[in-house]
Amino acid sequence: MSHSDYRPNLRPLEPPRGASSVVGSHGIGASPGDKKSKNKSTRGKKKSIFETYMSKEDVSEGLKKGTLIQGALRINPKKFHEAFIPSPDGDRDIFIDGVVARNRALNGDLVVVKLLPEEQWKVIKPESNDKETEAAYESDLPEELCGHHLPQQSLKSYNDSPDVIIEAQFDDSDLEDGHGNTQNLLVDGVKKLSVGVHEKGKEDAGAPVKKDESTSMSQDIRALPEKSLQRSAKVVYILEKKHSRAATGFLKLLTDKNSELFRKYALFSPSDHRVPRIYVPLKDCPQDFVTRPKDYANTLFICRIVDWKEDSNFALGQLAKSLGQAGEIEPETEGILTEYGVDFSDFSSEVLECLPQGLPWTIPPDEFSKRKDLRKDCVFTIDPSTARDLDDALSCKPLADGNFEVGVHIADVSYFIPEGSDLDRVAAERATSVYLVQKVVPMLPRLLCEELCSLNPMTDKLTFSVIWTLTPEGKILSEWFGRTVIRSCIKLSYEHAQSMIESPTEKIPGKELPPISPEHSSEEVHQAILNLHGIAKQLRQQRFVDGALRLDQLKLAFTLDHETGLPQGCHIYEYRDSNKLVEEFMLLANMAVAHKIYHAFPEQALLRRHPPPQTKMLNDLVEFCDQMGLPMDFSSAGALNKSLTKTFGGDKYSLARKEVLTNMCSRPMQMAHYFCSGLLQDRAQFRHYALNVPLYTHFTSPIRRFADVLVHRLLAAALGYRERLDVEPDALQKQADHCNDRRMVSKRVQELSTGLFFAVLVKECGPLESEAMVMGVLNQAFDVLVLRYGVQKRIYCNALALRSHRFQKVGKKPELTLVWEPEDGEQEPAQQVITIFSLVEVVLRAEATALRYSAVLKRPGTSSLLGQEEEEAAASTEEPDD
């Protein structure tokens, strides 16, 4: 059945092979307006489109025997008929072709699949230049890899990447994953930003409709080399509906005014094409929708799927609410949060009753006797300038023997969260704060986040500390864990700490610093920062000598208009020595606590592991680097890190090439996961690949991560402050899984927020110009990394003023030759050769559709494509002097 079988105003669900959309003359299954359904043979009967799910018993039996496979479903945001689940053996993903094979599962769901017979597997032609066998991936870099709160994903296919944006709040967990992999995030919710299919099933004008080069065919498969087949499967059961079943999108009338359906239902068309179209009862719709549908053409609605029957192409849903105008920041943001199931409601009165009631709250006098009193010590915080939830503080006291007493002091959040209380339940459910460009959706009520727990200066605060005696080289001579009371003397920003590091001998003028408590001087703080910086440099150097990996990716930060909240400009966030200083001591504390709780409770510790990269994708990358003549060593995290730091010079071209390669290296990387130590038999699997350490956990951010609260409780039990946790390893693993899920969601949402703001910026301040480097070459298009903004875009030949273009392979390297139409006065048409790692000039322009922007290539040899006013607007997106 072809796309044309659908009514023209319906976006085509990928037509199920061999399935007809004619499902009976009445009832939800019928394609609206389908006349053929009057057929006698089908009258009154409904023909199933989807298979009935297997029984629970058969599923568990099949999983035990190995005849069925389970995994998280990923649907390609650009080609929504393609879906994948990871192969349990780390080899190439298993392919699920089409909506019917997907059997009503949605993106992110935990599904059980059955492999199809070999003759129905996907055939990948060796000539295929589209490596789309894993295209739907969002590769998730552990944060430890990145060093900043990066959007944590990377697209797994070189060429089919949706627009991807990199940005984020600093997150010590971003350090761990070895990278700041941001781009995958966007992938998952490209929403209106990607080059995709519009309504009416037409591809973008800019997107050439190209027959997929890898098709499933029943030619004699045995004659094909083994590597050209991709195992294919169908979904037989949904183990867990992880997708929220909510979507944002637009309302339309059904086309056939005479049908029964028309009188009862409207059609909801989701912005995310991976979600089916949904019938919604007209009684849920605005009263005048039927008479004035055009008034609602640009209104964003939220709809929830309530049912999706076996005999219907479309789901049944309920309209939840109208958000406002598409393209505006607040409605779009609320849509993103709702689609991803982020709870942004106000905390209930039951939850707020769990908080201390008599305000202002002070530490009870008997609490001081249970803690080490560090209030006289020189303790300070270093955070982003806008941060209000200050989890961590540092101290550094020189000792007479030339060593240092260094302390990491973390807000004692677990003191304020009674176990089993409503507050505990809500915090566990939210599991993480979610950082958007313009605001934070907090895990805990603001009274805790910003006041009682936050380590604000010049007030007594309850903390949990790790204190070491360290040599100037960072060697640990002794270690102490315990509950403490501190009084931070100053709230420094990363910029303040950076200026202290950069002026080791000059006093920083008082007017350039925040207020400092009278018991301490700015000189004392300055010296402590310098001492910590010296130790941190040694610790960091040693970590990389010991084989750690970091994949720093470009990350966007925005300047917002104070009145309108619209983005005025953006710049690539610079990760500096002050960030690295904090990062090193947070890593040190997390590792120390991991060892402590694991040795105390080997069956019950909540740890964080990072598996090695996916072998299939890594092998593809090794092959690619060989073809490109790049001397990269992928044998270990440390070897890869050395390759990336040594292979490239410091000139502009080398640095750009390093960005592109870093980006490619992040794709095979897996996510780091929380897990319960008692449920993983093989100690080797506890390892953290990017940090290259045997044990790791999260302890340093309990205000915004629930995993850290659990770790604080475990540490308190290990130190005898409380009884053992009354939780079975299975139950702890469930909590770990939930934390993993919500953390992944928060990264996706953060990336989407960045993507939203960047799209608005292009609309408000564009067009924007930048240099870009080619990352992948196809026969009609090529992908670039836009260097000024860290976004990836695909540029289509048919969107350029070309006379012709020619694709060829030179050796194994793909190459596009562009022949430009001559301009006035030009005799010869200009030729331009596009290969991987070519540097090109691009212009980003807003499109008419809400929040879409496209990239075009600048003709070689032309001066700016922008007029003077546009040049000034683009210049304002340079880094601000804040």
Side-chain angles (χ1 to χ4, degrees), residues 54 96 179 203 238 240 250 262 286 366 408 421 469 849 869:
M54 286 173 84
I96 296 158
H179 49 274
E203 294 257 34
I238 301 177
E240 198 180 339
F250 300 92
F262 185 87
D366 65 332
V408 167
S421 65
T469 306
T849 322
E869 284 175 23

Side-chain angles (χ1 to χ4, degrees), residues 355-370:
L355 304 176
Q357 297 302 309
L359 298 175
W361 181 82
T362 50
I363 298 172
D366 65 332
E367 195 58 38
F368 290 99
S369 60
K370 303 175 190 167

Side-chain angles (χ1 to χ4, degrees), residues 256 352 357 383 445 501 607 641 717 755 764 827 839:
D256 182 359
L352 297 176
Q357 297 302 309
D383 289 278
I501 290 169
L607 301 175
N641 198 76
E764 297 289 322
Q827 300 308 307
L839 265 181

Side-chain angles (χ1 to χ4, degrees), residues 26 99 215-216 237 420 437 463 658 790 809:
H26 308 297
V99 172
T215 48
S216 176
Y237 193 74
V437 171
T463 43
K658 183 180 177 183
K809 287 212 170 168

Side-chain angles (χ1 to χ4, degrees), residues 176 590-599 601-610 672-678 680 683 685-688 694-698 707 710-711 714 732-733 736 740:
E176 340 155 355
N590 286 334
M591 291 188 273
V593 170
H595 283 272
K596 187 77 181 167
I597 61 174
Y598 178 64
H599 291 304
F601 308 116
E603 296 297 305
Q604 205 187 17
L606 182 71
L607 301 175
R608 187 161 170 85
R609 65 193 183 89
H610 182 210
H673 302 286
Y674 299 114
F675 70 102
C676 171
S677 56
L680 203 55
R683 252 312 278 280
Q685 292 191 339
F686 286 27
R687 284 197 74 79
H688 196 294
L695 293 175
Y696 191 69
T697 194
H698 274 168
L710 295 171
V711 167
L714 285 163
L732 190 60
Q733 182 60 47
N740 291 330

Side-chain angles (χ1 to χ4, degrees), residues 50 53 73 75 83 96 98-113 235-241 243 245 274-276 308:
F50 299 107
Y53 295 128
L73 184 75
I75 304 172
I96 296 158
V99 172
V100 171
R102 214 150 65 213
N103 205 354
R104 296 161 286 163
L106 298 184
N107 194 56
D109 286 354
L110 193 56
V111 297
V112 177
V113 304
V235 173
V236 294
Y237 193 74
I238 301 177
L239 273 176
E240 198 180 339
K241 290 182 175 175
H243 188 284
R245 271 31 188 194
R274 295 169 298 178
V275 179
W308 190 355

